[in-house]
Each structure stands twice: as structure tokens, then as C-alpha cells.
């Protein structure tokens, strides 16, 4: 099993409160079989098995675009076995 880390940001930004597309994407990640979830003001990250991360990425793209995102920036990295 390969462990992956996903980091993503949805746009447009709203500095006063999280827009619906950001909330939708974060809820997908929080509800997925992922761990090490870190929700920040300008991005969210999470780790998990390759199957879990890839499934969550597809769902967060669908849900955030459906909720009004005009852009989703994401990065997926393989987490080295030693965790560094």
C-alpha cells in the first residue's frame, strides 16, 4: 500500500467566512477514510492510503465545483515509508 498526502485550495477566496465550495471540500475530506487532516485558512491537507486519497480527491472536486468553486488547486505526494 502506498500512502499519499493531498493538499488543496478552492477559489474564489472569501476572507470573512469560508465559502460554500470550501466547506463542501473540507466536509468530503473530514468524512473520508483519511487521517492527519489539517484544515487551514488558505488550504487543507490530509493523508491516507492511495485508494482513500484518490477517492476523496474525486469527490472533493465534484462537490466543490458543484458548490461554486471556479478553481481547485491540489497537489498529491507520495509519503515516504519513513514518514519524512
Amino acid at each position: 500500500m502506498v500512502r499519499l498526502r493531498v493538499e488543496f485550495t478552492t477559489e474564489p477566496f472569501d476572507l470573512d467566512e469560508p465559502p460554500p465550495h470550501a466547506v463542501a471540500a473540507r466536509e468530503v475530506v473530514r468524512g473520508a477514510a483519511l487521517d492527519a487532516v489539517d484544515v487551514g485558512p488558505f488550504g487543507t491537507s490530509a493523508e491516507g492510503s492511495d485508494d482513500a486519497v484518490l477517492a476523496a480527491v474525486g469527490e472533493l472536486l465534484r462537490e466543490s465545483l458543484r458548490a461554486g468553486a471556479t478553481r481547485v488547486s491540489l497537489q498529491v505526494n507520495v509519503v515516504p515509508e519513513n514518514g519524512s
Side-chain angles (χ1 to χ4, degrees), residues 19-61:
H21 55 80
V23 173
R26 289 175 187 166
E27 290 303 313
V28 167
V29 170
R30 286 183 174 146
L34 301 173
D35 50 43
V37 176
D38 181 26
V39 176
F42 298 107
T44 299
S45 64
E47 292 183 14
S49 70
D50 52 355
D51 287 339
V53 168
L54 295 174
V57 165
E59 186 68 15
L60 81 87
L61 288 170

Side-chain angles (χ1 to χ4, degrees), residues 2-6 34-35 46-54 76-79:
V2 174
R3 187 166 175 81
L4 299 176
R5 176 179 178 83
V6 60
L34 301 173
D35 50 43
E47 292 183 14
S49 70
D50 52 355
D51 287 339
V53 168
L54 295 174
V76 177
N77 294 306
V78 173
V79 176

